[in-house]
Amino acid sequence: MSGAKNAVLPAMAAALLADGPVEIVGAPRLRDIATFGKLLGILGATVTQDAGGTDRSRLLRVASGEPGEAEAPYDLVKTMRASVLVLGPLLARYGRARISLPGGCAIGPRPIDQHLKGLELLGARTTLSEGYIEAAADRLRGAPVYFDLKTVTGTENLMMAAALAEGTTVLKNAAREPEVCDLARLLRAMGADIEGEGTDEITVRGVRSLRGARHEVMADRIEAATLLLAGAITGGDVTALGADGGAMDAVLEKLQESGAEVEVANGFVRVRRAGPIRSVNMKTAPYPGFPTDVQAQFMAYMCLGDGFSIVSETIFENRFMHVAELRRMGGRIDVSGNTAAVKGVQGLSGAPLMATDLRASASLVLAGLAASGTTEVLRIYHLDRGYESLENKLSSLGADIARVRE
Ligand code: EPU
């Protein structure tokens, strides 16, 4: 497995807090990571990534530097909402930040009100001017922060800001995702005083300064789920080496319910399916619930189930863009609001398809593997945002797949 994109991005942002360089071991080569590196470059940091090496040994090094304007421009933020992760660190370390307000994106409006509310509770003054959030503070002061809803990057932003604040911050209703825990682990290695990650209450006692550190990033549980589902949808047998089964309970349970055989051991997860695919219902939820980032791939799988499956998306408002494309392959899916009713069919047929976002693209690839005939997925730059060489990993598992053009 590659290192987790959604753990690498906050780790790169955390480097802005440190006096010395942060070295991330196992960072994959992805468009989103390159884009984030570009943003950090604009903010005065020096970012280098090893060219060679295997996925898991490759080193990404981020050394912070004086950020000049401390401004994250619109053309970068609009391509990647995770850019908002620089807000907390810039404010905590340099006392100011100017960040383009992310607009909507393909999967919904995704506001950042909880990030701003939290930073204001820590003493930041924020204003909106010409589409930019301007934030300023002398030294942030620790405070209790209650999130109105679970937000992954919101929790991460506040953890990073609180790490250099004066006094204690208690984050309540915090996100419990493994990626949040991975960031806490890095921050501790940098000298931060944090506890409670993995629960919904995280306590951060601010320190005066943080040092650089070397961090082995967690394996990508979404990539692992995608590859295991590739095995399940084709009636195959896939072992995800390096995957952490403990971080994938909800997905593995659904795979089991659907008739696949699941084996979890220290260092790998194996999924095999020989019998029919049983249709099962699934609802996305914050961790430890079923991840929204695997909803599209699971829906592709359910298209071949033996009955009806109800798939509910509770995290994002508009994360069913794959539905129209799956229908073009013969999938029988009705959508009403945030719920999709999937009636299993005997087989899907290959078709030219349009990728619309990262995880939707992965679902189309999975459907294409199981479909008769040839499937062509266009606009695969979406796929490259979050999967490193997916086609090579799938071909090594026996799939007939090739990158025809970028
Ligand atoms: N929300 C608000 N206000 C806020 C923050 C979030 O209303 O201030 C809402 C969002 O609009 C959404 C929900 O809360 O409806 C949850 O959003 P969250 O903030 O948790 O999402 P995120 O932090 O922007 C991260 C991942 C996403 C993943 C979600 C949910 C990173 C860089 N991104 O986004 O990953 O889908 O958590 O688990 O960690 C992906 O990798 O494909 C991806 C989209």
Side-chain angles (χ1 to χ4, degrees), residues 9-10 12-18 34-47 62-74 76-77 80-100 132-133 135 157 160:
L9 297 174
M12 292 172 76
L16 294 176
L17 295 164
T35 309
F36 205 71
K38 204 159 145 195
L39 172 60
L40 293 180
I42 292 173
L43 297 172
T46 310
V47 182
V62 185
S64 65
E66 197 33 61
E69 297 289 300
E71 176 177 313
Y74 180 60
L76 282 180
V77 177
M80 193 178 55
R81 293 184 38 91
S83 311
V84 73
L85 280 167
V86 300
L87 185 55
L90 284 177
L91 203 51
R93 179 106 189 270
Y94 302 103
R96 67 206 148 84
R98 187 166 188 270
I99 302 214
S100 168
Y132 280 73
I133 297 284
N157 233 337
M160 292 188 281

Side-chain angles (χ1 to χ4, degrees), residues 72-393:
Y74 180 60
D75 24 319
L76 282 180
V77 177
K78 75 168 193 265
T79 63
M80 193 178 55
R81 293 184 38 91
S83 311
V84 73
L85 280 167
V86 300
L87 185 55
L90 284 177
L91 203 51
R93 179 106 189 270
Y94 302 103
R96 67 206 148 84
R98 187 166 188 270
I99 302 214
S100 168
L101 188 64
C105 68
I107 62 180
R110 297 170 86 186
I112 56 162
D113 56 304
Q114 298 301 307
H115 302 237
L116 298 179
K117 165 183 131 166
L119 293 169
E120 280 165 12
L121 285 167
L122 264 54
R125 301 171 298 278
T126 66
T127 48
L128 177 66
S129 157
E130 296 166 345
Y132 280 73
I133 297 284
E134 293 178 354
D138 300 324
R139 189 167 176 211
L140 295 171
R141 287 181 315 277
V145 175
Y146 178 83
F147 291 107
D148 298 334
L149 47 78
K150 300 265 187 203
T151 159
V152 177
T153 51
T155 301
E156 292 165 346
N157 233 337
L158 265 293
M159 269 165 59
M160 292 188 281
L164 282 183
E166 187 182 338
T168 302
T169 299
V170 181
L171 304 175
K172 297 182 184 186
N173 198 24
R176 298 171 56 191
E177 267 66 5
E179 292 76 9
V180 171
C181 301
D182 204 65
L183 174 63
R185 207 159 50 80
L186 166 61
L187 289 171
R188 261 199 300 273
M190 291 163 61
D193 182 351
I194 298 183
E195 63 188 25
E197 77 275 10
T199 75
D200 59 10
E201 186 168 308
I202 300 174
T203 303
V204 186
R205 290 176 203 88
V207 295
R208 271 268 158 212
S209 65
L210 293 168
R211 53 181 180 268
R214 178 179 271 230
H215 178 61
E216 221 165 282
V217 76
M218 61 178 274
D220 195 322
R221 63 193 171 102
I222 308 301
E223 182 197 39
T226 304
L227 292 168
L228 293 170
L229 273 159
I233 200 172
T234 52
D237 179 353
V238 169
T239 301
L241 291 175
D244 174 8
M248 300 174 63
D249 282 343
V251 172
L252 298 178
E253 229 167 79
K254 284 292 157 191
L255 274 164
Q256 222 154 9
E257 249 185 80
S258 74
E261 214 179 299
V262 175
E263 183 187 346
V264 176
N266 199 3
F268 71 86
V269 179
R270 178 177 182 186
V271 168
R272 278 173 282 187
R273 181 182 67 79
I277 301 174
R278 282 202 291 274
S279 294
V280 295
N281 298 338
M282 182 276 275
K283 190 185 206 163
T284 62
Y287 190 84
F290 193 101
T292 173
D293 291 345
V294 186
Q295 177 259 111
Q297 302 89 314
F298 196 80
M299 192 189 291
Y301 178 48
M302 284 298 104
C303 282
L304 293 167
D306 63 358
F308 269 106
S309 161
I310 304 292
V311 174
S312 311
E313 172 56 60
T314 73
I315 308 291
F316 291 114
E317 289 171 29
N318 185 27
R319 216 176 193 184
F320 281 152
M321 277 94 56
H322 42 288
V323 167
E325 302 297 298
L326 290 172
R327 278 198 197 122
R328 298 188 56 242
M329 304 177 77
R332 296 210 20 210
I333 309 166
D334 284 323
V335 173
S336 166
N338 71 344
T339 302
V342 185
K343 179 169 177 353
V345 295
Q346 288 290 323
L348 295 170
S349 57
L353 305 170
M354 191 70 85
T356 47
D357 79 57
L358 167 56
R359 308 301 171 187
S361 323
S363 89
L364 302 182
V365 170
L366 297 195
L369 294 177
S372 61
T374 302
T375 295
E376 247 180 31
V377 181
L378 307 174
R379 296 200 183 155
I380 51 167
Y381 55 84
H382 287 293
L383 208 59
D384 294 335
R385 290 185 55 187
Y387 293 94
E388 180 172 352
S389 327
L390 185 65
E391 72 279 17
N392 296 338
K393 288 179 181 163

